[in-house]
Amino acid sequence: MKPVLGIETSCDETAAAVVDANGHILSEAVLSQLAEHAPYGGVVPEIAARTHLRYLPEQVRHTMAKAGLGFADLGGVAATSGPGLIGGLIVGSQFAKGIAIANGLPFIAVNHLEAHALTARLPGLVEGGAPFPYLLFLLSGGHSQCIAVTGVGRHVRLGGTVDDAAGEAFDKVAKLLKLDWPGGPALETIATEGDPASHKFPRPMIRRPGCDLSFSGLKTAVAQTMMRIGPDLTRTQRADVAASFQRAVVDVLSDRAVHAMDMMRDQYPGANLLVVAGGVASNTSIRTALATAAASRGFRLVAPPIRLCSDNAVMVAWAGVERLRLGHSDSLDFKARPRWPLDTLEAVPS
Ligand code: KG4
Ligand code: ZN
């Protein structure tokens, strides 16, 4: 099978990549729109869509040139077609369809969450790629879910957040601490200067059955603590709050991962891989704690390199390869879907 071009435009990264049938990355490029959205303290959907439209053609041209390929050398074109911000999804998927039509190539409508889920199957992370089934802990800005990944298009939700996503909690607490946007990385940085035992924040859901998560009570506790301290926190006080909050999140995630691994073993006795994905999986304390939690249950943690945890097009191209080699492609009528839960995908027969 020939290589696949992947396009990612679901949020604020304009990304393109070419991946071959064996999962080798022939070229990849991510253009972050951080500077465009920073003045507003969050992603502005209209600005995101317009920025994708402006930069995507050049991004694709550049990526194809770096791979040394023309469109005729491709086996297909894959684009994130949901879930995400509708403007960006339309830009990316329609652009991909245009290339597909002009070159007689199959088009693959990739689910962004499945792309994160299948990243672990790229060779190099696990010898030969992670075999199904494995447990996925997806921790991004919009999603926090525990999922049994049993095949392409086969995802069984074991649990997830009942309120905020993990990344959302990091972003909201970072905002309270007046840190730069995006909050997650900034909070991790300042937390290194703080004492994680200085504040006793709650650990919501800990030791409850199942693997559901909740972060809104923790976020409220942080807000109340900051109000008690007063309006003008010193850098040390902010670092202490950040470190204590991060420690609470780490404890919650470790506990939930242990429960999820037990559920996974009950349902899929041979399973022994815990895969972490999504932007929050870039956090070193979280990666370290999840590795320990995995080892305590006889699992191995698979954490993709940080550049492949946050949004990128390598994962989209790879999801395209996985689907195409099973004979699956999508109609050019496929409409981008702002909401597209993983467990609603149709299983692709293997
Ligand atoms: O997966 P992602 O890049 O985008 C989607 O939401 O799909 O995740 C972004 C989220 C943001 O909430 C960001 O603050 C968080 O991941 N994040 C982090 C770190 N890096 C990114 N959270 C905690 N620690 C980090 N180092
Ligand atoms: Zn993502």
Side-chain angles (χ1 to χ4, degrees):
M1 204 182 89
K2 294 175 173 175
V4 169
L5 166 67
I7 291 175
E8 161 60 40
T9 54
S10 67
C11 191
D12 59 339
E13 271 90 19
T14 311
V18 181
V19 173
D20 77 11
N22 299 317
H24 296 123
I25 301 167
L26 304 185
S27 69
E28 58 178 304
V30 180
L31 185 79
S32 164
Q33 301 179 1
L34 272 186
E36 275 79 4
H37 301 289
Y40 307 95
V43 178
V44 182
E46 181 63 23
I47 295 178
R50 285 174 190 277
T51 311
H52 289 309
L53 196 56
R54 181 152 156 223
Y55 291 110
L56 184 61
E58 181 51 35
Q59 189 74 313
V60 167
R61 217 181 346 260
H62 166 75
T63 305
M64 292 296 296
K66 230 166 67 180
L69 300 176
F71 292 133
D73 302 316
L74 295 174
V77 191
T80 298
S81 302
L85 300 174
I86 188 67
L89 293 172
I90 290 174
V91 171
S93 58
Q94 295 300 97
F95 193 73
K97 287 177 194 171
I99 298 172
I101 293 169
N103 298 279
L105 297 170
F107 163 73
I108 307 105
V110 169
N111 177 296
H112 179 89
L113 306 175
E114 178 165 68
H116 276 301
L118 296 176
T119 302
R121 287 170 53 79
L122 279 167
L125 295 174
V126 174
E127 185 73 22
F132 297 124
Y134 53 82
L135 173 63
L136 171 72
F137 212 7
L138 179 61
L139 302 170
S140 70
H143 299 270
S144 293
Q145 296 174 17
C146 303
I147 292 153
V149 185
T150 66
V152 177
R154 297 169 199 258
H155 307 271
V156 182
R157 191 176 184 278
L158 303 178
T161 183
V162 296
D163 41 56
D164 294 351
E168 204 178 341
F170 267 94
D171 292 338
K172 287 178 177 170
V173 169
K175 210 168 208 169
L176 290 171
L177 289 167
K178 300 195 170 62
L179 299 174
D180 288 341
W181 180 83
L187 195 148
E188 181 178 18
T189 304
I190 193 169
T192 58
E193 301 166 24
D195 172 7
S198 54
H199 299 281
K200 301 261 168 299
F201 291 134
R203 269 75 172 147
M205 300 301 232
I206 213 161
R207 286 188 283 280
R208 289 241 197 124
C211 58
D212 278 345
L213 299 135
S214 163
F215 292 106
S216 79
L218 171 59
K219 178 192 67 193
T220 307
V222 173
Q224 286 168 343
T225 298
M226 289 182 59
M227 267 165 36
R228 231 185 8 255
I229 302 174
D232 300 312
L233 272 69
T234 62
R235 180 157 179 107
T236 310
Q237 284 172 321
R238 289 157 73 219
D240 283 347
V241 169
S244 303
F245 162 79
Q246 183 172 271
R247 175 62 64 80
V249 173
V250 162
D251 288 351
V252 168
L253 293 179
S254 301
D255 175 84
R256 303 289 77 194
V258 165
H259 280 242
M261 285 183 278
D262 290 347
M263 290 168 77
M264 187 76 191
R265 270 275 160 75
D266 277 350
Q267 295 177 32
Y268 308 95
N272 62 3
L273 291 179
L274 168 63
V275 173
V276 68
V280 181
S282 320
N283 185 291
T284 307
S285 307
I286 292 173
R287 289 165 87 99
T288 309
L290 289 180
T292 309
S296 78
R297 282 300 192 266
F299 274 61
R300 186 181 140 201
L301 179 73
V302 180
I306 286 170
R307 76 175 207 289
L308 297 182
C309 283
S310 48
D311 290 347
N312 66 86
V314 169
M315 67 181 192
V316 179
W318 174 241
V321 169
E322 291 255 33
R323 290 187 155 254
L324 207 51
R325 68 185 179 190
L326 294 175
H328 176 99
S329 63
D330 291 284
S331 156
L332 293 169
D333 290 336
F334 190 99
K335 286 195 176 55
R337 301 178 184 174
R339 262 187 58 74
W340 192 7
L342 254 189
D343 52 6
T344 63
L345 295 189
E346 266 176 45
V348 180
S350 49

